[in-house]
Amino acid sequence: MKTNSFFNSIYFLCLALLSISLVSAQSDASFKEIEGKVIDATSNSPLIFADVTVSNSNISTVTNSDGEFLLKIPLSQTGESIIISYLGYQDKTIAIKDFKSHSKIALSPTYTALNPINITSTNLSARELVLETLKKKKSYIDRNTLMTAFYRETIKKRRKNASLSEAVVKIHKQPYSSYRNDHIELIKARKNTDYTKLDTIALKLQGGPFSNLYTDIIKYPEYIFSEEYINDYDFNYGESTQINSNLIYVVNFEPKKYLSTPLYYGKLYIDANTLALTSAVFSLNVENKELSSRMYIRKKPRKVDVYPTEASYRVNYRISNGKWHYAYSNISLTFKVNWKGKLFNSVYTLSSEMAITDWEVKDSKLASVRPQLLRPTTILTDKASGFSDPRFWGEYNIIEPEKSIESAIKKIQRQLKRT
């Protein structure tokens, strides 16, 4: 059987704790904090994963599942504007000095008619377009870059939060044309796990931030569209869309019908001008319980059967100075846990997301930061103290927590006060 497991590996351990060193230094730099909500101008519904960037800079964040965002801007750049963009909508630019906090920012859908001829005029089949996109490394950042990113992972037992981890990391991103792997340096982190909700089993999300980093299909195509797997997929054109006024090709992909191996299916969004991948949304076919379980489960108690019921992924790219780069990804995995001899099963959802909040071209040497570098097999340690400090993240930009996570943080704070 082919094995193309990637992004996440799950350990089901009996209350085993692993630790890593944490750096908790905090900067005193001054900044302006703004927050708002991005909505559809027609329906007033929240726009999830919208890009929020500061003009003439690489500072950015994304909206959460409620369409909300929070952005910390250095005082030296408060004369700039924020730009909000979303697939299928017109961009909106607002001067920071005119921005009113807690504002609702309405984006209007792009209604420009798209002629089907736009698709066929490329003279490329859907498959050929994908192959061309995977080869176009020059459309992406071709220098060593140091990226600041915010990472969050949660574990829920059914609908109740059982574990919450957050971290600020520095990604030592290698040029897209290079075969060298990226490195991740840990800056700050906090975690709290309520093991009473995990049936004496601790779910360990191995890989942490690396799991999300590996969704960068252009940097790591081997996990889906390697030479070995590319022939296992069928590709066809979907209905095109736009980002602002730029045409975006939509390519659907799915495994060939006769294959029983768990493979991925979804959509690729490709910029018509640069043929760069702007985003991808895809899932794993988990119908084959035994094979899909092997892909994710690295260790579990012998008396437990564990298998995934859903595995969904998203990756977004952003363009700056004519070059594209990895900007955001999220992963959602749902598992059923059956104890042998027990009548009822447990359902766990493991979610993680990572957003690039700033970056700079920097040929930095790793020697000085090696003690802080994470390994791809790293599991974030349990450390709850940061949840009691409202200034824990300082000037670092984060993804605004959704309502359920906000409730979990408040509960953690109450628990810490009692102890």
Side-chain angles (χ1 to χ4, degrees):
M1 185 192 89
K2 295 180 181 180
T3 57
N4 60 339
S5 172
F6 70 123
F7 309 147
N8 292 83
S9 297
I10 311 302
Y11 271 59
F12 287 77
L13 304 177
C14 294
L15 296 178
L17 301 180
L18 294 129
S19 64
I20 55 177
S21 60
L22 298 178
V23 179
S24 59
Q26 184 164 313
S27 173
D28 293 323
S30 297
F31 56 87
K32 178 182 176 66
E33 191 172 288
I34 63 174
E35 53 187 311
K37 183 173 183 176
V38 182
I39 61 173
D40 181 293
T42 305
S43 66
N44 290 324
S45 57
L47 295 180
I48 306 169
F49 312 132
D51 273 329
V52 183
T53 61
V54 177
S55 62
N56 297 314
S57 80
N58 296 318
I59 299 170
S60 59
T61 188
V62 296
T63 58
N64 64 11
S65 60
D66 302 311
E68 298 170 345
F69 70 90
L70 182 146
L71 197 59
K72 299 169 185 176
I73 306 164
L75 294 181
S76 61
Q77 292 179 294
T78 53
E80 300 292 342
S81 301
I82 62 167
I83 304 168
I84 300 98
S85 57
Y86 192 77
L87 185 68
Y89 290 74
Q90 289 287 343
D91 291 357
K92 179 162 283 190
T93 301
I94 305 172
I96 294 171
K97 62 181 177 62
D98 297 331
F99 188 89
K100 295 180 180 179
S101 220
H102 304 287
S103 294
K104 286 188 177 180
I105 303 154
L107 300 188
S108 300
T110 302
Y111 291 113
T112 306
L114 297 174
N115 192 326
I117 295 177
N118 287 330
I119 295 178
T120 57
S121 64
T122 62
N123 294 321
L124 295 174
S125 67
R127 174 190 170 85
E128 290 170 335
L129 178 63
V130 171
L131 292 175
E132 191 66 22
T133 294
L134 295 175
K135 289 191 300 184
K136 272 196 167 294
K137 307 289 187 181
K138 291 183 179 180
S139 297
Y140 301 82
I141 293 177
D142 55 0
R143 299 277 303 278
N144 285 350
T145 56
L146 186 62
M147 295 181 164
T148 304
F150 177 74
Y151 172 79
R152 176 185 287 130
E153 70 178 47
T154 61
I155 299 175
K156 291 184 178 182
K157 182 181 178 182
R158 298 198 183 274
R159 296 184 179 181
K160 294 183 178 180
N161 281 291
S163 180
L164 173 61
S165 307
E166 296 179 323
V168 169
V169 298
K170 297 280 188 181
I171 301 172
H172 296 255
K173 201 90 169 75
Q174 305 298 312
Y176 276 84
S177 57
S178 168
Y179 289 104
R180 296 192 302 272
N181 287 338
D182 303 324
H183 299 275
I184 297 180
E185 172 191 355
L186 181 65
I187 304 300
K188 299 188 71 173
R190 62 185 188 179
K191 179 177 180 178
N192 181 268
T193 300
D194 184 353
Y195 291 103
T196 63
K197 294 180 180 177
L198 296 180
D199 296 335
T200 71
I201 290 184
L203 289 76
K204 297 296 185 180
L205 184 58
Q206 183 181 356
F210 277 99
S211 301
N212 286 74
L213 189 57
Y214 290 157
T215 63
D216 184 351
I217 295 174
I218 301 301
K219 179 66 177 175
Y220 302 99
E222 63 270 20
Y223 291 124
I224 301 183
F225 299 127
S226 65
E227 292 182 4
E228 181 180 4
Y229 298 119
I230 194 72
N231 292 325
D232 291 338
Y233 290 98
D234 289 324
F235 300 90
N236 62 79
Y237 281 109
E239 184 178 351
S240 296
T241 185
Q242 291 180 322
I243 295 180
N244 209 18
S245 299
N246 297 327
L247 176 66
I248 303 295
Y249 297 130
V250 179
V251 176
N252 304 309
F253 67 94
E254 62 180 359
K256 293 185 180 297
K257 301 295 184 185
Y258 58 83
L259 295 174
S260 60
T261 304
L263 291 171
Y264 299 89
Y265 61 93
K267 296 179 182 292
L268 305 173
Y269 297 85
I270 299 171
D271 181 76
N273 294 323
T274 62
L275 297 191
L277 184 68
T278 67
S279 62
V281 180
F282 52 101
S283 300
L284 180 73
N285 183 342
V286 294
E287 291 181 359
N288 190 318
K289 294 181 181 179
E290 181 180 353
L291 293 182
S292 57
S293 178
R294 290 180 193 173
M295 292 177 63
Y296 290 101
I297 310 305
R298 292 291 175 262
K299 189 174 182 179
K300 65 179 181 63
R302 285 181 297 177
K303 294 183 178 181
V304 177
D305 288 328
V306 183
Y307 57 90
T309 59
E310 183 181 359
S312 301
Y313 305 84
R314 167 186 288 269
V315 59
N316 291 349
Y317 294 83
R318 191 177 295 130
I319 190 169
S320 178
N321 298 322
K323 295 288 186 178
W324 294 84
H325 65 86
Y326 165 80
Y328 173 81
S329 63
N330 71 51
I331 301 171
S332 180
L333 307 174
T334 301
F335 292 87
K336 275 194 176 180
V337 179
N338 291 326
W339 285 91
K340 294 178 181 177
K342 286 189 177 181
L343 182 61
F344 300 105
N345 58 41
S346 298
V347 178
Y348 295 98
T349 299
L350 294 82
S351 302
S352 63
E353 60 182 337
M354 187 161 69
I356 303 302
T357 58
D358 201 357
W359 63 271
E360 60 181 326
V361 173
K362 190 170 184 179
D363 295 326
S364 57
K365 295 182 179 179
L366 291 174
S368 61
V369 298
R370 284 198 181 279
Q372 283 81 251
L373 291 183
L374 301 179
R375 296 181 179 181
T377 55
T378 293
I379 298 172
L380 292 178
T381 186
D382 290 85
K383 184 179 178 68
S385 59
F387 289 100
S388 62
D389 183 1
R391 300 169 300 173
F392 182 77
W393 295 120
E395 66 181 0
Y396 291 111
N397 275 301
I398 68 171
I399 305 169
E400 184 75 342
E402 60 188 59
K403 293 295 185 289
S404 64
I405 293 177
E406 281 184 343
S407 298
I409 290 175
K410 289 178 181 177
K411 185 175 181 180
I412 292 168
Q413 290 171 338
R414 290 195 298 270
Q415 291 171 343
L416 290 169
K417 286 180 181 179
R418 288 197 295 267
T419 58

